[in-house]
Amino acid sequence: GDGDLFHLSRNTDDGETIVDTSSQDDEIRKYVNRVTLLERMLQAKVEGLKTMTNRVTVLEDVVQKLQSKLKTEQENLIEQQLKEKEEMNAQMANLTNTIDSLAQEKNSLSDQIEELALQQQLVEKCHNATVAKLQETIVSLENEIQLRIEEAEKQQQSLAEIGSKEEEET
């Protein structure tokens, strides 16, 4: 059909076969462009994952420092200690929520990276299958051309033999 990826040739009115190499090139270009796009997307996701990992590490350090500061502040007056403890707890809860959120985002990015890698593998398989099919078609067409050349040579030889017999008879 019209959208058939492997419909590579057509016959003209006089019986010639024309190979449509532009559609082969277009299909290959589409797969190469898709692979490139997926590689770029994968690289962007990896960079995002690295950024998120760094942010988590920084926030974990902040939490650690806050916990250590909390211990030092406990030596102060009881009223001051209670106020600061409440503030620290609020900050801790906020930071913990942020860390949890970042961890979820990191997991989501990891899942997306895996999905992109699978998509890239699928595109590569399709690309390789397409290239293999195109190569098979090219070999088949070359064989057909060779066969037709041999047939034409045999016909020419037969005509030459008939012509020489006619000359001998006259």
Side-chain angles (χ1 to χ4, degrees):
D2 288 339
D4 187 356
L5 180 62
F6 301 114
H7 182 74
L8 302 174
S9 64
R10 59 182 173 84
N11 291 327
T12 58
D13 292 337
D14 58 1
E16 288 184 40
T17 301
I18 298 175
V19 177
D20 187 356
T21 57
S22 66
S23 70
Q24 292 173 10
D25 292 344
D26 290 346
E27 288 301 323
I28 290 172
R29 240 181 264 111
K30 284 180 191 174
Y31 281 108
V32 168
N33 289 343
R34 179 123 172 92
V35 166
T36 303
L37 176 64
L38 287 172
E39 286 173 344
R40 287 182 186 154
M41 288 172 63
L42 179 61
Q43 186 61 38
K45 295 292 180 182
V46 167
E47 292 301 322
L49 181 61
K50 287 178 185 175
T51 301
M52 290 300 160
T53 303
N54 291 340
R55 287 174 67 187
V56 167
T57 304
V58 168
L59 288 172
E60 286 171 344
D61 288 346
V62 168
V63 168
Q64 217 171 21
K65 288 176 185 176
L66 285 173
Q67 287 172 335
S68 124
K69 181 179 177 184
L70 185 62
K71 285 183 180 180
T72 329
E73 293 294 326
Q74 287 175 345
E75 297 169 358
N76 293 337
L77 296 170
I78 292 175
E79 283 182 32
Q80 186 67 29
Q81 180 188 11
L82 290 175
K83 281 184 178 179
E84 288 180 8
K85 190 174 181 179
E86 287 174 12
E87 287 177 20
M88 292 292 169
N89 286 338
Q91 289 178 356
M92 290 281 288
N94 191 13
L95 285 172
T96 301
N97 289 338
T98 303
I99 288 171
D100 290 344
S101 173
L102 287 172
Q104 288 176 356
E105 202 171 330
K106 177 184 171 185
N107 290 337
S108 174
L109 284 171
S110 293
D111 292 345
Q112 291 175 13
I113 287 169
E114 285 179 33
E115 178 64 26
L116 284 172
L118 290 174
Q119 288 177 5
Q120 181 180 8
Q121 289 173 359
L122 181 62
V123 167
E124 286 173 0
K125 282 181 185 176
C126 289
H127 175 264
N128 291 341
T130 300
V131 168
K133 183 69 176 176
L134 293 174
Q135 288 172 338
E136 285 176 26
T137 304
I138 289 170
V139 168
S140 172
L141 291 171
E142 287 172 344
N143 289 340
E144 187 176 331
I145 289 170
Q146 186 60 38
L147 207 111
R148 296 204 181 191
I149 289 172
E150 289 170 7
E151 287 175 0
E153 288 172 352
K154 286 179 185 176
Q155 285 180 347
Q156 218 172 8
Q157 190 177 5
S158 293
L159 288 175
E161 288 174 7
I162 291 172
S164 66
K165 283 182 183 177
E166 287 178 355
E167 285 180 18
E168 287 176 14
E169 291 176 5
T170 54

